[in-house]
Amino acid sequence: RYTGRSIPRHRDRFGRYWAFNQILYRNSPRYEPVPRKGFFTCRRSQRPGDPEPAAREEAFPRLWEAAPEALLDLLAGSRCEPVHRFAVKVLRDCPDFCRRLDVPALIRLLEAPYEVTVGLGLDLTVRRYDPDHPDHALVLALANCGLARAREQARQWIDRQRARFTGDHPFLAALAGSPHADTRDFVR
């Protein structure tokens, strides 16, 4: 029965950005558009800050999968965590493309400011790692990235092949100058 009271709508901090939400959340179970108002709100069962679903939510999913290079450009240029979460979800559904990423692209993922993107970089690096031919630049990027579990992985790889890595003096110098205390302590 209608009582004349409106149903309260909750918006997250990006709710008023119509185009942004159309791209990232058109197929979302969490958000719904309010076209007359020009914004997106949380569905009744949702509140801002609730965990996001594992399922993808973006508009045009097949077009994004067909242009994964554009997603890498977004990751390189965006300083918006929802954009990173969206792009990483799509990239995880493009395993052939991710397998072909070169080392500089993987390093850029490991240097990203958001955990979700660094996590993707870690997963791809672990799959790519060849203990018979370790890429020192990639191990160094892992050892210096912002994700603690990534730095731990790098330390494990270095420990397993100490002779190989300790013979690379520029590599050791870069570890000694790491922005992370746990990496600097490890090299000591």
Side-chain angles (χ1 to χ4, degrees):
R1 185 178 115 177
Y2 180 70
T3 62
R5 283 188 255 158
S6 64
I7 298 166
R9 294 185 178 271
H10 298 279
R11 274 192 299 188
D12 71 12
R13 64 187 179 134
F14 294 107
R16 69 177 181 261
Y17 301 113
W18 183 258
F20 175 90
N21 284 283
Q22 280 289 347
I23 293 168
L24 269 61
Y25 303 120
R26 180 180 290 171
N27 295 310
S28 175
R30 297 184 295 162
Y31 299 106
E32 62 187 348
V34 182
R36 290 184 303 136
K37 302 277 187 178
F39 56 76
F40 272 62
T41 63
C42 296
R43 294 189 187 271
R44 287 186 188 156
S45 62
Q46 297 288 313
R47 297 272 188 263
D50 282 354
E52 70 179 81
R56 290 173 39 196
E57 305 172 282
E58 80 276 3
F60 314 113
R62 300 303 155 242
L63 290 176
W64 287 110
E65 290 170 9
E69 301 86 7
L71 296 164
L72 285 181
D73 291 342
L74 281 174
L75 292 175
S78 177
R79 294 295 175 251
C80 179
E81 189 173 9
V83 171
H84 278 253
R85 288 195 312 262
F86 142 73
V88 165
K89 274 186 183 180
V90 178
L91 283 171
R92 287 189 182 279
D93 283 346
C94 300
D96 292 336
F97 175 78
C98 288
R99 251 189 308 280
R100 294 188 310 270
L101 288 176
D102 61 11
V103 170
L106 292 174
I107 290 172
R108 282 191 299 277
L109 293 174
L110 293 169
E111 292 173 343
Y114 300 106
E115 184 175 329
V116 66
T117 310
V118 177
L120 173 64
L122 170 61
D123 293 346
L124 297 175
T125 299
V126 167
R127 285 187 213 129
R128 171 84 52 94
Y129 185 72
D130 178 0
D132 295 329
H133 303 95
D135 188 299
H136 289 212
L138 200 49
V139 174
L140 181 62
L142 211 58
N144 287 329
C145 82
L147 194 60
R149 63 188 166 99
R151 295 192 305 273
E152 177 58 31
Q153 179 63 72
R155 290 191 297 268
Q156 288 174 12
W157 287 341
I158 294 166
D159 265 341
R160 288 183 196 138
Q161 296 184 311
R162 280 185 178 264
R164 182 184 298 256
F165 287 103
T166 56
D168 182 346
H169 297 291
F171 176 83
L172 289 177
L175 284 179
S178 174
H180 301 284
D182 57 349
T183 299
R184 291 190 308 270
D185 291 344
F186 171 75
V187 83
R188 272 189 220 113

